[in-house]
């Protein structure tokens, strides 16, 4: 089973522990709710835990694989996209998870993109509250 298949299965089972081993130790996750990436497994797992609690009716609806020129040398690296649908605070959300893999096949970079804007705003508020609740970021106004 590929890393992508394992990730998809772990998300669908809401199995955070199974996701952790699929990332490189220094992986980055680019989120639509924060300008700078979440860096390293502990922060990524914290964010994914919040997302698992935040998204309602999360399910993948498509998959695309290929390559992209994202390595530091500009060489092609294996990449994939998982398309998803979910709800956040009653708003329908449509998005993609864009993966870039290292030479060993582990996830070195994950970019999450979502639409529409109203869902991004709702997601941002819910994620910030969840991250603060888990002690991963300061509480708003603190």
């Amino acid at each position: 089973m590929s890393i992508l298949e394992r990730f998809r299965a772990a998300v669908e089972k809401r199995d955070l522990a199974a996701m952790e081993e699929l990332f490189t130790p220094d992986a980055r996750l680019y989120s639509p709710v924060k300008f700078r990436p979440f860096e390293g497994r502990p922060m990524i797992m914290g964010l994914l835990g919040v997302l698992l609690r935040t998204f309602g009716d999360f399910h993948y609806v498509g998959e695309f694989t290929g390559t992209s020129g994202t390595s530091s040398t500009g060489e092609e690296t294996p990449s994939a996209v998982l398309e998803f649908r979910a709800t956040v605070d009653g708003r329908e959300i449509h998005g993609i998870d864009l993966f870039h893999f290292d030479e060993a096949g582990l996830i070195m970079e994950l970019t999450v993109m979502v639409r529409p804007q109203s869902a991004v705003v709702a997601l941002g508020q819910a994620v910030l509250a969840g991250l603060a609740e888990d002690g991963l970021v300061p509480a708003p106004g603190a």
Side-chain angles (χ1 to χ4, degrees), residues 24-63:
T24 63
D26 60 346
R28 291 182 309 272
L29 188 150
Y30 292 90
S31 163
V33 302
K34 186 175 176 250
F35 181 74
R36 291 200 171 119
F38 290 84
E39 297 191 55
R41 276 188 193 148
M43 282 302 295
I44 291 172
M45 291 304 106
L47 174 62
L48 290 175
V50 170
L51 290 172
L52 289 177
R53 293 193 316 259
T54 302
F55 282 129
D57 190 32
F58 185 95
H59 57 285
Y60 286 113
V61 297
E63 179 179 318

Side-chain angles (χ1 to χ4, degrees), residues 31-34 38 47 50-51 53-55 88-91 93 114 116-134 137-140:
S31 163
V33 302
K34 186 175 176 250
F38 290 84
L47 174 62
V50 170
L51 290 172
R53 293 193 316 259
T54 302
F55 282 129
V88 175
D89 289 338
R91 291 177 175 87
I93 193 166
V114 297
Q117 183 181 4
S118 62
V120 174
V121 171
L123 178 62
Q125 292 168 344
V127 167
L128 180 58
L131 290 171
E133 180 181 312
D134 291 355
V137 299

Side-chain angles (χ1 to χ4, degrees), residues 79-96:
S79 302
V81 173
L82 289 176
E83 180 183 6
F84 65 85
R85 301 263 181 190
T87 58
V88 175
D89 289 338
R91 291 177 175 87
E92 291 186 20
I93 193 166
H94 180 213
I96 63 167

